[in-house]
């Protein structure tokens, strides 16, 4: 990643910095994988803000999934948002897949539907106000070799 | 040799077996002693097995055969070779340090050892050997004790139980066979020494907590829920009004995922009704309604039209079809996770079992799908020893899988969940071992028996499909412990540990494609409203009762129409709506 900042010799009227346009930045970041997004969020406050946008994480989660984006967005937003979905469910699920399979459309869409199921259970538990424990098993380390 | 029978089952010591009989034992012993060997003839089969293992260890050692076993002649510590058993053991432990062995293979049917192996080994390998031996001994003792109980010999089984307790103090009871044996010894003790017949103990609230921890600690219940949900989802395809009847609501953990999946289905969500059956809460709280409210809130947030109804009943056979208020024109799904087995009776007891009438009225509802998940075990045998043996191996496997989960789990909460999950299983063990007749609720039967039963009642099987299989496989990858396996058997899915299936999920249908609107047959109608203690329910039900008690099916249909219309208004008390 390039250092954000304008090289001194470039004239500001002619040059362009990625930080000038947050939407463009979001568009670029939405093509990253989960870990890189996490790293990007640590670069500076602007980037961290952009990385909090749910659209970026939505692009990550629905990369290989076709159709029904608008309704899915509403449902996922009601359940807690894509960023939370990725952090709690989709990330751990994708990690368990062998690396070769993590980009295969079939596996990713199955991961997404499974993650959504687990996510809805988590949301339900939050509604009850009790201690949320249905996703604890995802925190365990699993040997994926 | 005391009152214990002389063991004669020899696996591999063919020559000796033909000569070792009870009457000849002293002679053989005398001959061996004369030759200078300190070993009893009854132990020879064990020694033979170990010699075979020693031979295979020496000849087929790992790495292709060059094992330096010259050290066996000089460096290894051997014990008195005239004590054959320990001498072979010490050789084995030098060669194969980690050989845990099949503790859970079926034990030799008649023989068991009453000799205590010599104690003084200090090597870790020797300690593991001893653990394994103690494990095998525990299994043998458990079998003998159960057999004594079946014969009615309380004194013998009592003394065996004492011996087992002694052995348990020397064995690691934190895991493995020691732990399972501990639970079974406890259950046997209860059976032997309890004055009153132990009925199911604990309150429904307690049971819900245990169930919840079992849900967290292991994949079995999640597998059950997800597989059933997938079948229900596929069956509801194309229907606008759907009704799910859950035979055991608990905390309602199965339904958020279905609500979410229905919200996301192409073509939009249907309007969903959920009828949850559960035990009445003793302290006046309407726990069913609370769960319903939570589910309604979730459904409202994802914009699924939702209505909930709670039916409080202690036993499933107290539930009558009219309590469920199935409306004509809606697609019905019946979901039973580990509930149907409670309705069974002893196989050889005469007369109809409650299961038959319940299955009949389920069939009468003409459901699009009936999802049945049951333990894959044969725990309904009338003979005590058979049942005990089956249960011992089933729960050993189950505890093994829990143990693997605990070993990999880091969060303290996960550890706690595993510990409480074991208590959940202990309850089942106690029920299977201690209770007889109508007191016993855990009457697990194998999938083949359930298939036959469902087929007899008129249900047609529904194949669970590859989506369900893939989802189950992916779910398993999330769980630590690589021993879980999902298998598909004739359209049903089973989840097991190391190729022993432990839980089986199947799906059935009973809808007539040409006659969807047939009303519920009223020959199951009730003589009294026996156990619904939910006051809202009973108010409404009294009303129904008065209307229907003198009428025929048409009155029932009209009444249920009224109900379905009035259930759209928000004033009906026991239905909770989410918009």
């Amino acid at each position: 990643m390039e250092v954000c900042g304008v090289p001194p010799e470039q004239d500001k009227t002619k040059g362009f910095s990625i930080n000038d346009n947050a939407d463009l930045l979001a568009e670029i970041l939405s093509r990253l994988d989960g870990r890189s997004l996490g790293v990007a969020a640590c670069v500076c406050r602007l980037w961290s803000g952009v990385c909090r946008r749910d659209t970026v994480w939505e692009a990550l989660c629905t990369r290989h999934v076709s159709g029904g984006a608008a309704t899915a967005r509403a449902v996922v937003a009601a359940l807690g948002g894509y960023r939370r979905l990725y952090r709690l469910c989709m990330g751990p699920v994708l990690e368990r897949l062998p690396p070769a399979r993590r980009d295969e459309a079939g596996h990713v869409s199955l991961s997404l539907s499974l993650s959504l199921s687990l996510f809805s259970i988590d949301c339900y538990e939050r509604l009850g106000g009790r201690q949320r424990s249905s996703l604890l098993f995802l925190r365990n380390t699993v040997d994926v070799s | 040799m005391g009152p214990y029978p002389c063991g004669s089952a020899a696996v591999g010591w063919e020559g000796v077996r033909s000569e070792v009989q009870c009457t000849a034992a002293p002679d053989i012993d005398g001959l061996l002693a004369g030759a200078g060997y300190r070993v009893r003839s009854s132990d020879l089969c064990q020694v033979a097995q170990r010699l075979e293992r020693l031979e295979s260890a020496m000849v087929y050692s790992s790495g292709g055969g060059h094992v330096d076993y010259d050290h066996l002649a000089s460096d290894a510590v051997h014990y008195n070779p005239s004590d054959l058993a320990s001498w072979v053991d010490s050789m084995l432990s030098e060669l194969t340090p980690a050989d845990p062995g099949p503790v859970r293979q079926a034990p030799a049917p008649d023989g068991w050892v009453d000799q205590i192996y010599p104690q003084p080994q200090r090597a870790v390998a020797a300690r593991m050997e001893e653990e394994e031996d103690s494990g095998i001994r525990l299994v043998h003792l458990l079998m003998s004790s159960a057999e004594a109980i079946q014969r009615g010999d309380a004194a013998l089984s009592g003394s065996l139980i004492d011996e087992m307790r002694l052995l348990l103090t020397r064995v690691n009871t934190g895991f493995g066979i020691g732990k399972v044996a501990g639970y079974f010894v406890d259950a046997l003790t209860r059976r032997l020494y309890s004055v009153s017949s132990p009925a199911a103990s604990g309150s429904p609230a307690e049971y819900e907590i245990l169930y919840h921890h079992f849900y967290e600690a292991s994949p079995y219940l999640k597998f059950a829920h997800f597989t059933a949900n997938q079948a229900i989802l596929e069956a509801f395809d194309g229907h606008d009004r759907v009704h799910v009847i859950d035979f055991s609501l608990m905390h309602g953990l199965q339904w958020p995922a279905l609500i979410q999946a229905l919200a996301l289905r192409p073509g939009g969500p249907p309007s969903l009704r959920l009828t949850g059956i559960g035990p009445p809460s003793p302290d006046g709280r309407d726990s069913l309604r609370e769960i319903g409210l939570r589910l309604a809130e979730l459904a409202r947030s994802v914009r699924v039209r939702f209505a909930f109804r709670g039916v409080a009943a202690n036993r499933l056979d107290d539930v009558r079809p009219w309590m469920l208020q199935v409306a004509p024109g809606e697609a019905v799904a019946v979901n039973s996770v580990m509930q149907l087995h409670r309705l069974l009776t002893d196989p050889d007891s005469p007369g109809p079992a409650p299961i038959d009438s319940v299955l009949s009225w389920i069939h009468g509802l003409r459901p699009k799908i009936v999802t049945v998940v049951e333990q894959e075990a044969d725990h309904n045998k009338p003979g005590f020893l058979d049942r005990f043996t089956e249960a011992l191996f089933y729960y050993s496997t189950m505890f093994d899988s829990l143990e693997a989960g605990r070993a990999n789990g880091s969060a303290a909460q996960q550890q706690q969940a595993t510990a409480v999950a074991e208590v959940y299983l202990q309850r089942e063990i106690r029920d299977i071992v201690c209770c007889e007749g109508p007191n016993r609720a855990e009457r697990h039967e194998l999938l083949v028996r359930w298939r036959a039963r469902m087929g007899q009642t008129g249900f047609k099987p529904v194949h669970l499909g590859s989506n369900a299989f893939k989802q189950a496989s992916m779910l398993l990858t999330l769980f630590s412990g690589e021993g879980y396996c999902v298998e598909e058997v004739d359209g049903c899915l089973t989840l097991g540990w190391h190729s022993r299936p432990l839980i089986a999920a199947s799906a059935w249908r009973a809808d007539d494609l040409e006659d969807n609107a047939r009303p519920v047959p009223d020959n199951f109608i009730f003589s009294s409203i026996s156990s619904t203690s939910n006051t809202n329910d009973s108010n409404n039900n009294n009303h129904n009762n008065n209307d229907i008690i003198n009428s025929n099916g048409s009155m029932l249909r009209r009444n249920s129409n009224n109900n379905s219309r009035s259930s759209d208004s928000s004033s009906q008390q026991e239905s909770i709506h989410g918009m």
Side-chain angles (χ1 to χ4, degrees):
Chain A
M1 304 235 174
E2 291 299 321
V3 172
C4 37
V6 181
E9 59 267 20
Q10 220 167 353
D11 191 10
K12 276 212 173 145
T13 54
K14 281 191 283 193
F16 169 77
S17 159
I18 190 65
N19 287 345
D20 289 342
N21 191 332
D23 293 332
L24 190 56
L25 181 60
E27 195 57 39
I28 297 174
L29 291 180
S30 65
R31 283 157 171 75
L32 290 177
D33 65 295
R35 193 171 186 279
S36 305
L37 259 182
V39 170
C42 303
V43 168
C44 64
R45 239 178 286 166
L46 173 68
W47 284 47
S48 170
V50 172
C51 288
R52 276 182 203 281
R53 294 190 190 183
D54 224 40
T55 48
V56 173
W57 296 92
E58 176 184 347
L60 172 61
C61 292
T62 57
R63 191 159 290 164
H64 295 283
V65 173
S66 55
T71 42
R73 193 175 297 142
V75 169
V76 175
L79 293 176
Y82 276 102
R83 182 162 167 260
R84 191 183 164 87
L85 169 68
Y86 190 88
R87 178 170 63 86
L88 284 184
C89 306
M90 188 115 177
V93 171
L94 283 177
E95 255 176 54
R96 283 352 188 239
L97 288 179
R101 296 238 177 117
R102 281 177 205 168
D103 282 324
E104 261 179 73
H107 281 97
V108 174
S109 85
L110 184 59
S111 306
L112 178 60
S113 67
L114 182 61
S115 304
L116 283 170
S117 300
L118 295 169
F119 195 48
S120 60
I121 300 174
D122 177 71
C123 174
Y124 173 71
E125 286 194 309
R126 267 183 291 138
L127 284 177
R130 295 185 214 190
Q131 204 159 21
R132 288 165 12 241
S133 44
S134 66
L135 294 184
L136 269 186
F137 69 100
L138 284 175
R139 288 198 216 154
N140 299 339
T141 51
V142 171
D143 184 7
V144 294
S145 58
Chain B
M1 283 176 73
Y4 307 127
C6 169
S8 63
V11 182
W13 193 254
E14 302 295 332
V16 175
R17 181 170 47 178
S18 56
E19 283 138 24
V20 174
Q21 298 154 30
C22 276
T23 52
D27 295 336
I28 297 287
D29 281 342
L31 288 173
L32 286 168
Y37 287 105
R38 263 201 312 123
V39 64
R40 271 184 273 187
S41 54
S42 55
D43 302 332
L44 282 175
C45 55
Q46 305 274 344
V47 175
Q49 284 174 355
R50 285 166 193 283
L51 278 173
E52 284 185 345
R53 271 167 52 186
L54 181 61
E55 177 195 75
S56 55
M58 288 170 86
V59 175
Y60 302 110
S61 56
S62 64
H66 180 66
V67 167
D68 182 24
Y69 41 79
D70 292 339
H71 77 282
L72 281 177
S74 52
D75 296 340
V77 178
H78 300 305
Y79 295 91
N80 185 355
S82 72
D83 186 351
L84 264 181
S86 59
W87 177 75
V88 175
D89 285 340
S90 66
M91 296 261 278
L92 257 182
S93 65
E94 292 289 338
L95 276 180
T96 58
D99 185 13
V103 179
R104 259 165 298 289
Q105 268 178 11
D110 301 322
W112 55 278
V113 185
D114 70 336
Q115 168 217 318
I116 297 179
Y117 281 142
Q119 284 288 349
Q121 293 97 329
R122 301 271 175 258
V124 170
R127 175 81 186 137
M128 284 185 67
E129 279 283 319
E130 185 189 318
E131 288 270 335
E132 177 195 330
D133 299 337
S134 304
I136 296 179
R137 276 203 66 214
L138 271 174
V139 174
H140 285 215
L141 288 171
L142 280 168
M143 299 299 189
S144 309
S145 182
E147 191 191 9
I149 289 181
Q150 176 165 288
R151 276 199 322 258
D153 191 345
L156 173 59
S157 71
S159 69
L160 287 173
I161 288 176
D162 290 336
E163 193 173 334
M164 282 192 279
R165 284 200 186 282
L166 184 60
L167 189 52
L168 280 173
T169 61
R170 287 173 16 219
V171 163
N172 189 340
T173 53
F175 60 89
I177 190 68
K179 165 170 275 190
V180 184
Y183 287 125
F184 275 89
V185 169
D186 165 73
L188 281 174
T189 312
R190 278 178 168 242
R191 185 186 173 104
L192 212 48
Y193 298 123
S194 273
V195 175
S196 57
S197 77
S201 52
S203 63
E206 251 178 50
Y207 182 67
E208 276 188 19
I209 295 176
L210 293 178
Y211 183 92
H212 194 85
H213 283 89
F214 184 63
Y215 178 88
E216 287 174 33
S218 61
Y220 302 107
L221 290 177
K222 292 189 180 74
F223 162 78
H225 291 176
F226 283 19
T227 309
N229 282 346
Q230 184 68 29
I232 295 175
L233 194 63
E234 287 172 10
F236 279 169
D237 193 22
H239 289 91
D240 280 330
R241 286 163 52 228
V242 301
H243 184 180
V244 176
I245 299 169
D246 188 3
F247 276 1
S248 146
L249 188 63
M250 290 287 160
H251 290 158
L253 284 172
Q254 180 171 354
W255 307 116
L258 182 69
I259 293 174
Q260 169 267 120
L262 287 174
L264 285 176
R265 78 170 186 179
S271 86
L272 170 67
R273 278 179 65 202
L274 175 65
T275 300
I277 301 176
S281 16
D283 47 357
R285 271 180 44 228
D286 193 347
S287 54
L288 288 175
R289 192 164 179 272
E290 284 172 19
I291 304 287
L293 281 171
R294 266 211 275 164
L295 287 169
E297 201 182 321
L298 181 77
R300 185 179 49 227
S301 69
V302 296
R303 301 191 181 283
V304 174
R305 288 201 321 282
F306 179 79
F308 176 81
R309 181 184 171 85
V311 175
N314 271 315
R315 288 179 56 87
L316 262 181
D317 44 347
D318 292 334
V319 175
R320 298 283 179 270
W322 56 260
M323 297 177 188
L324 308 172
Q325 298 200 335
V326 172
E330 59 183 16
V332 175
V334 177
N335 180 72
S336 157
V337 174
M338 308 198 308
Q339 295 304 307
L340 290 183
H341 65 256
R342 296 168 201 271
L343 298 169
L344 298 172
T345 51
D346 278 331
D348 47 2
S349 74
I355 184 74
D356 297 320
S357 66
V358 172
L359 284 180
S360 291
W361 66 248
I362 296 177
H363 191 273
L365 297 176
R366 297 284 181 264
K368 286 265 171 304
I369 190 109
V370 180
T371 49
V372 175
V373 184
E374 286 289 328
Q375 290 95 334
E376 180 70 356
D378 200 355
H379 293 156
N380 201 20
K381 297 183 179 177
F384 178 69
L385 181 61
D386 288 336
R387 206 166 72 227
F388 186 85
T389 314
E390 281 281 336
L392 184 60
F393 292 118
Y394 178 84
Y395 286 102
S396 302
T397 317
M398 184 72 101
F399 272 94
D400 261 1
S401 69
L402 275 185
E403 194 55 48
R406 186 221 292 267
N408 288 340
S410 51
Q413 239 174 328
Q414 186 74 1
Q415 304 273 2
Q416 184 201 353
T418 311
V420 182
E422 290 177 1
V423 179
Y424 172 86
L425 292 175
Q426 183 188 25
R427 242 178 175 228
E428 286 187 6
I429 293 174
R430 276 191 194 161
D431 187 275
I432 293 174
V433 172
C434 302
C435 302
E436 289 294 342
N439 284 332
R440 193 160 85 240
E442 302 292 335
R443 297 179 176 273
H444 309 152
E445 282 193 348
L446 293 169
L447 180 61
V448 290
R449 297 278 296 272
W450 286 112
R451 255 209 265 258
R453 209 176 247 118
M454 298 296 278
Q456 268 171 352
T457 317
F459 290 101
K460 300 186 184 45
V462 173
H463 273 229
L464 283 174
S466 61
N467 281 335
F469 184 86
K470 286 187 213 159
Q471 182 180 247
S473 307
M474 183 167 276
L475 179 68
L476 287 187
T477 63
L478 304 177
F479 279 88
S480 37
E482 299 85 31
Y484 288 112
C485 58
V486 181
E487 276 164 18
E488 193 245 343
V489 179
D490 274 345
C492 306
L493 290 186
T494 64
L495 171 61
W497 176 256
H498 282 142
S499 77
R500 158 84 214 232
L502 294 174
I503 188 169
S506 59
W508 309 85
R509 66 186 299 168
D511 55 344
D512 304 330
L513 293 176
E514 61 275 4
D515 189 1
N516 273 334
R518 193 182 306 176
V520 176
D522 53 8
N523 34 5
F524 300 105
I525 291 177
F526 47 87
S527 50
S528 64
I529 310 163
S530 47
S531 61
T532 53
S533 61
N534 183 353
T535 52
N536 289 340
D537 257 336
S538 55
N539 282 340
N540 204 32
N541 293 340
N542 272 326
H543 170 71
N544 286 347
N545 199 3
N546 291 335
D547 277 350
I548 298 172
I549 196 163
N550 294 324
S551 73
N552 54 16
S554 61
M555 176 70 111
L556 173 61
R557 200 184 317 139
R558 188 181 63 152
N559 208 15
S560 64
N561 270 340
N562 281 339
N563 277 334
S564 71
R565 270 205 297 281
S566 65
S567 70
D568 288 335
S569 73
S570 52
S571 60
Q572 185 160 12
Q573 288 184 7
E574 68 274 4
S575 300
I576 298 131
H577 294 258
M579 273 306 293

